[in-house]
C-alpha cells in the first residue's frame, strides 16, 4: 500500500480509537461495577456526524438492517465521495459499526487503574491503556499515552474517557506525534447503557517529512429503538 501523509495520520488516529483488549479482574470498586455493567440490550438506530478539516459527513445508521442497507448518508453528496469515504461506508455495511457504546472502551482499562478523585455520584481513575492485541502498532503507540475514565457510582457505567500524550513521541520510525488528545463524553440510552455522545480527537505531528494537524469530532444522537 502506498503511504501518504493523509493515510499515515488517519492510521495513527484509528489506532488510538481501537484500544480494545480483554479487561482483567479488578476488585469490587465503582470501576469494576462499571466495567461489568450489562452490555446486552435493545438495538438502536441513530444519527452520526463526522467532521474533520477536510470532511463534514452525516448520516444515519440502523444496525438491524441487512448489509447494504445499514447506512444512509445525508452528506456529502454521493458524487463527491472519496475512495476513503466509500471504504468506510462499506466497512460499516459489511461488519457493523464499532465506537457507539461506551462499554467498548472498558477493555483498554487495566487492573492498575488508580482512583484519583470522586464525588458522591462519580469516581475518576487514571491508567495506562492496554494495547489492542489485534493491532500490532498499537503497543508502540499506547505506551506514550495516559488515560482517565469517570464512572457512575450509583448506576454503573462509563461517563467520560480520555487519552492524552504528555510529550511528543515517535510511534513509528517515519512519524512523530507532537500532540495527541482524545476526549469522549457519554450519555444514557433509553435502556440505561451509555453511548458515545461525542468524541473529539486532536493529533498533530509529522510523517514522511511533512507536518499534519488533524482534528476530528464525532457525535451520535437521535436514538430510536429498532428490532434486531
Amino acid at each position: 500500500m502506498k503511504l501518504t501523509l493523509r493515510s499515515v495520520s488517519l492510521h495513527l488516529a484509528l489506532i488510538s480509537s481501537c484500544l480494545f483488549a480483554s479487561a482483567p479482574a479488578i476488585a469490587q470498586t465503582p470501576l469494576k461495577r462499571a466495567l461489568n455493567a450489562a452490555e446486552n440490550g435493545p438495538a438502536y438506530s441513530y444519527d452520526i456526524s463526522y467532521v474533520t478539516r477536510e470532511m463534514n459527513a452525516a448520516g444515519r445508521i440502523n444496525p438491524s438492517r441487512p448489509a447494504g442497507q445499514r447506512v444512509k448518508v445525508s452528506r456529502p453528496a454521493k458524487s463527491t465521495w472519496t475512495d476513503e469515504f466509500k471504504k468506510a461506508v462499506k466497512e460499516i455495511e459489511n461488519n457493523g459499526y464499532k465506537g457507539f457504546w461506551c462499554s467498548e472502551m472498558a477493555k483498554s482499562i487495566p487492573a492498575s487503574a488508580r482512583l484519583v478523585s470522586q464525588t458522591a455520584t462519580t469516581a475518576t481513575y487514571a491508567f495506562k491503556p492496554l494495547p489492542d492485541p489485534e493491532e500490532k502498532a498499537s503497543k508502540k503507540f499506547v505506551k506514550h499515552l495516559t488515560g482517565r475514565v469517570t464512572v457512575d457510582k450509583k448506576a454503573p457505567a462509563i461517563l467520560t474517557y480520555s487519552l492524552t500524550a504528555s510529550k511528543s513521541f515517535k510511534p513509528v520510525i517515519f512519524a512523530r506525534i507532537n500532540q495527541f488528545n482524545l476526549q469522549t463524553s457519554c450519555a444514557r440510552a433509553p435502556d440505561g447503557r451509555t453511548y458515545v455522545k461525542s468524541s473529539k480527537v486532536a493529533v498533530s505531528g509529522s510523517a514522511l517529512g511533512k507536518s499534519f494537524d488533524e482534528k476530528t469530532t464525532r457525535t451520535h444522537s437521535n436514538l430510536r429503538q429498532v428490532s434486531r
Side-chain angles (χ1 to χ4, degrees):
M1 181 181 73
K2 182 181 179 181
L3 289 175
T4 65
L5 175 64
R6 178 70 176 162
S7 65
V8 170
S9 60
L10 286 176
H11 182 64
L12 293 173
L14 177 63
I15 290 173
S16 70
S17 63
C18 298
L19 310 178
F20 306 135
S22 297
I26 303 175
Q28 284 292 339
T29 62
L31 179 60
K32 165 82 174 199
R33 293 192 293 272
L35 299 186
N36 287 343
E39 295 184 11
N40 296 326
Y44 297 93
S45 63
Y46 49 89
D47 293 334
I48 182 172
S49 170
Y50 187 85
V51 180
T52 69
R53 295 185 189 277
E54 298 82 16
M55 179 183 296
N56 188 336
R60 189 163 184 83
I61 296 177
N62 187 336
S64 69
R65 291 180 177 172
Q69 302 177 32
R70 291 172 179 155
V71 184
K72 183 178 180 180
V73 178
S74 54
R75 67 173 188 267
K78 193 168 186 177
S79 60
T80 67
W81 289 12
T82 63
D83 289 342
E84 181 183 352
F85 190 73
K86 292 176 183 177
K87 183 178 180 181
V89 172
K90 184 177 180 180
E91 178 69 19
I92 297 171
E93 289 284 11
N94 293 335
N95 303 309
Y97 176 63
K98 294 182 179 181
F100 179 74
W101 294 110
C102 290
S103 59
E104 294 177 29
M105 295 175 283
K107 297 175 183 178
S108 69
I109 302 172
S112 57
R114 176 174 55 89
L115 179 67
V116 292
S117 66
Q118 61 181 320
T119 68
T121 58
T122 66
T124 299
Y125 296 80
F127 62 92
K128 295 293 291 184
L130 296 171
D132 177 1
E134 297 182 0
E135 177 59 69
K136 293 181 180 180
S138 71
K139 185 174 183 180
K140 294 181 179 180
F141 192 92
V142 302
K143 69 180 182 179
H144 300 284
L145 305 180
T146 56
R148 288 214 172 197
V149 60
T150 297
V151 300
D152 192 319
K153 294 166 67 174
K154 295 187 176 181
I158 292 176
L159 300 177
T160 67
Y161 178 94
S162 67
L163 293 174
T164 58
S166 60
K167 59 183 180 181
S168 66
F169 64 96
K170 295 190 70 173
V172 289
I173 193 169
F174 53 80
R176 174 172 289 279
I177 301 297
N178 294 328
Q179 177 200 22
F180 180 86
N181 191 318
L182 164 68
Q183 299 289 332
T184 299
S185 296
C186 305
R188 294 279 180 182
D191 67 298
R193 290 175 294 167
T194 55
Y195 67 94
V196 176
K197 183 177 182 180
S198 69
S199 178
K200 298 181 179 181
V201 180
V203 55
S204 63
S206 59
L208 304 175
K210 296 183 179 180
S211 62
F212 62 85
D213 187 357
E214 297 285 343
K215 293 183 184 298
T216 302
T217 300
R218 173 168 52 94
T219 61
H220 302 123
S221 60
N222 195 20
L223 278 63
R224 295 179 185 173
Q225 186 172 334
V226 294
S227 299
R228 291 185 180 276

